[in-house]
Amino acid sequence: MSSSIIDFVATEARFGAHNYEPIRVVLSRGEGVWVWDTEGNRYLDCLSAYSAVSQGHCHPKILAAMIEQAHRLTLTSRAFHNDQLALFYEEIAALTGSHKVLPMNSGAEAVESAIKSVRKWGYEVKGVPDGQAEVIVCANNFHGRTLGIVGFSTAPETRTHFGPFAPGFRIIPFGDAAALQDAITPNTVAFLVEPIQGEAGVIIPPAGYFTEVRQLCTANNVMLVLDEIQTGLGRTGKLLAEQHEGIEADVTLLGKALSGGFYPVSAVLSNNDVLGTLRPGQHGSTFGGNPLACAVARAALRVLVEEGMIENAARQGARFLEGLKGIRANTIREVRGRGLMLAVELHPEAGGARRYCEALRGKGILAKDTHEHTIRIAPPLVITSDQVDWALERLATTLTHDFS
Ligand SMILES: *Cc1c(COP(=O)(O)O)cnc(C)c1O
């Protein structure tokens, strides 16, 4: 059996649904910020599985916690208690200041669970007539891939021919507080929004936006649901991106880095009111809150704090952003970022971000194009200054390269 790159790629293409178009590299090992392909070539991971491996690949302490727990107990279902769930609740609540926690698996499940919960809150606490609840969302959002979620996406490729979709959503522009004010009705139960729109290309809203959003939600008894699945857990240089705005969400969604990339773990965090409406039998998940997931998540949260990864994200993110801004290349239209959630938007004439990502791969950097003209850069939060500088050198030569 040969293990050449062609075998893996061709076999995936032959048997797999073609819902992805990966960069041509076959990875077989990872450690910290680095990954290696099957030929032994090393790459700096500047995607971090869309922020799921923020703690770095195969973090030894998360790995140890996972192995230890896997030897003891993996899954009980929530039909019984287990000795990890309470500890996970206690630790995540203490860290984030939340009152109630609902453990799920994927990010999309956390989003769906939040929508169910705020609707229920709307009917049972706010007094919205049954079946009339409205949730406001933003254009260019990304909240996952389930039917419920893609129904309120504005990206044609995520929606086309997947309908019919569930009603009850209103779409407004991102970063526009006046639009939120206009969209709120007596039946509005929640505003679901990303603090920074990641998949849309790392779009940072205007300063003061979330202060106004918070005020509008409070004034109208509308739950502010922040999808921090990508921005949360240190990615932007704070534990939660909401802290940059000095606000607190009513409902916070976490996923991705909640397990350091070992295992799908997500959570809905809220005040007592929203998750307090859920009664036995009304919501659930076979794997949600399982002991293995809890042990992994506890370790993932612990190393994030104990090893100073959040502070490092702020420090290295600032260095990376300064460095990117210093690159003199006429391909670059704009550089954006907060913490280690960074993006380089190219001029449309540059011919698309994909070719630059391919070129970066050739120089030992894995990054991903998004929305055609944007290169997203989000390395693990354990990156060092030397590694940032190493990446910047290669980005500079790649972005100044003339492909025409
Ligand atoms: C990745 C992501 C999701 C979906 O998470 P999955 O685990 O892929 O279901 C939802 N919201 C945001 C902001 C994300 O980045």
Side-chain angles (χ1 to χ4, degrees), residues 234-237 244 313-318 320-321 337-342:
R235 174 54 55 189
T236 69
H244 291 288
R315 198 164 46 241
Q316 303 304 343
F320 217 135
L321 187 62
R338 188 165 282 169
L340 283 168
M341 190 167 177
L342 302 148

Side-chain angles (χ1 to χ4, degrees), residues 233-249:
L233 301 177
R235 174 54 55 189
T236 69
K238 302 252 191 217
L239 177 71
L240 298 174
E242 68 174 17
Q243 294 171 299
H244 291 288
E245 318 285 342
I247 61 150
E248 272 183 44

Side-chain angles (χ1 to χ4, degrees), residues 214-334:
R214 179 65 273 181
Q215 284 164 356
L216 285 168
C217 288
T218 303
N220 293 283
N221 198 21
V222 166
M223 292 294 107
L224 174 57
V225 183
L226 286 186
D227 181 346
E228 296 241 24
I229 290 166
Q230 194 164 140
T231 56
L233 301 177
R235 174 54 55 189
T236 69
K238 302 252 191 217
L239 177 71
L240 298 174
E242 68 174 17
Q243 294 171 299
H244 291 288
E245 318 285 342
I247 61 150
E248 272 183 44
D250 301 298
V251 179
T252 301
L253 310 179
L254 295 178
K256 295 202 164 114
L258 187 48
S259 67
F262 279 84
Y263 194 89
V265 185
S266 67
V268 181
L269 310 175
S270 86
N271 55 29
N272 283 312
D273 279 3
V274 174
L275 286 176
T277 60
L278 295 178
R279 319 272 7 132
Q282 295 175 347
H283 188 63
S285 160
T286 303
F287 278 82
N290 76 69
L292 186 58
C294 291
V296 166
R298 293 177 63 210
L301 293 175
R302 202 158 50 236
V303 302
L304 199 68
V305 174
E306 279 178 5
E307 297 180 17
M309 292 182 195
I310 304 170
E311 297 77 9
N312 193 57
R315 198 164 46 241
Q316 303 304 343
R319 186 185 189 93
F320 217 135
L321 187 62
E322 274 316 297
L324 288 173
K325 284 183 172 162
I327 297 174
R328 294 277 152 261
N330 51 16
T331 50
I332 301 178
R333 183 178 193 174
E334 191 184 39

Side-chain angles (χ1 to χ4, degrees), residues 1-9 26-28 37-40:
M1 283 283 280
S2 149
S3 63
S4 75
I5 184 166
I6 294 304
D7 289 344
F8 293 110
V9 173
V26 180
L27 301 173
S28 58
D37 68 14
T38 47
E39 330 257 85

